Amino acid sequence: MSPTPPRRLLLASIHDVSPRFESEVDGLLDLLAPHVGTRLAMLVVPNHWGDAPIVPGTPFAARLRSWADQGIEMFLHGFTHRDEAHHVGAADRFRARFMTASEGEFLGLPRAEAGERIAKGRALIEGVIGRPIDGFVAPAWLYGEGTREALEEAAIPIAEDHLRVWSPATGSQLAWGPVITWASRTRYRLASSLLAAAGLRHAPLNPLRIGVHPPDVRHPALVASITKTLKTAARTRSPARYRDLLP
Ligand SMILES: [Zn+2]
């Protein structure tokens, strides 16, 4: 009898976990859990848009800790998730508006500023969950050079962008291939994300990465596509955690 070949992996993540989106995060958990259990990652925003802070001792902080206790991976996901356009001085406002996408908080940051935000966010989340974070994912998967250097300096174990997963701590590449994600800001983006998911869910990627966002739960077509992608993946793949990619 020949040994069974190892199954390919499925990595699922919930983006923008914040008190602002608590009910949407619950909806996404209900969507994912039947297929992956607690083998999923949460991308946590310490203070979404500067006015939805995660505060230690609050019910939301307790929920985060309980999710981490259940085995859900916790990634720091920016600090405010948005560029500086809305909460600093005129010079930065100009720079942010013209040099970065509106949610690309970590695209234009110099190394020192990126390092400070990573350290501040990490300390907050680690205090709340009572364990080290699993990694860092920049908002909109957009990293500037300063951010890449700051992640290496902070020895963050895992980071990812649209196309790959790597370890800033060791410099090694952990996985390669596009992430499946959905968009709903415009009808065009919604339609093209459905098409991309329909194709990519059959691709022989290993791992297959799926990233879902709070607004997804408000669109039945997206919920159907996410469910179908999870079902298709479950036929040939094992749900896994990002840390399973580490040697
Ligand atoms: Zn995000």
Side-chain angles (χ1 to χ4, degrees), residues 14 16-17 42-46 54 64 74-78 125:
I14 299 178
D16 306 342
V17 171
M42 287 189 172
L43 277 50
V44 184
V45 186
I54 293 172
L64 264 191
M74 292 288 162
F75 284 72
L76 178 62
H77 185 47
I125 303 302

Side-chain angles (χ1 to χ4, degrees), residues 87-127:
H87 48 86
V88 293
D92 278 349
R93 191 151 51 229
F94 179 87
R95 189 174 59 85
R97 184 166 309 156
F98 294 100
M99 289 179 57
T100 70
S102 65
E103 306 271 344
E105 181 189 3
F106 276 77
L107 182 58
L109 292 182
R111 175 183 183 154
E113 172 73 22
E116 275 172 35
R117 289 190 195 204
I118 291 164
K120 198 165 62 155
R122 181 185 204 169
L124 174 79
I125 303 302
E126 292 186 344

Side-chain angles (χ1 to χ4, degrees), residues 4-6 30 101 110 192 218-219 233:
T4 320
D30 289 346
S192 56
R218 298 184 211 123
H219 299 271

Side-chain angles (χ1 to χ4, degrees), residues 12 31 83 123 151 169 191:
L31 203 56
D83 63 32
L151 290 170

Side-chain angles (χ1 to χ4, degrees), residues 15-17 43 45 48 77-78 81 103 137-141 212-214:
H15 286 234
D16 306 342
V17 171
L43 277 50
V45 186
H48 192 266
H77 185 47
H81 201 278
E103 306 271 344
V137 179
W141 289 295
V212 296
H213 293 81

Side-chain angles (χ1 to χ4, degrees), residues 16 37 47 85 122 127 194 228 245:
D16 306 342
N47 189 2
R122 181 185 204 169
L194 290 176
K228 183 150 189 203
L245 301 176

Side-chain angles (χ1 to χ4, degrees), residues 6-12 36 39 174-175 201 203-210 233-234 236-246:
R7 283 160 66 88
R8 289 187 175 126
L9 304 180
L10 168 67
L11 297 177
V36 302
R39 287 188 175 79
L174 303 174
R201 69 170 77 106
L205 297 163
N206 194 27
L208 181 72
R209 291 183 289 146
I210 294 178
T236 57
R237 296 172 180 277
S238 302
R241 298 186 173 94
Y242 280 80
R243 65 177 86 114
D244 297 335
L245 301 176
L246 293 171

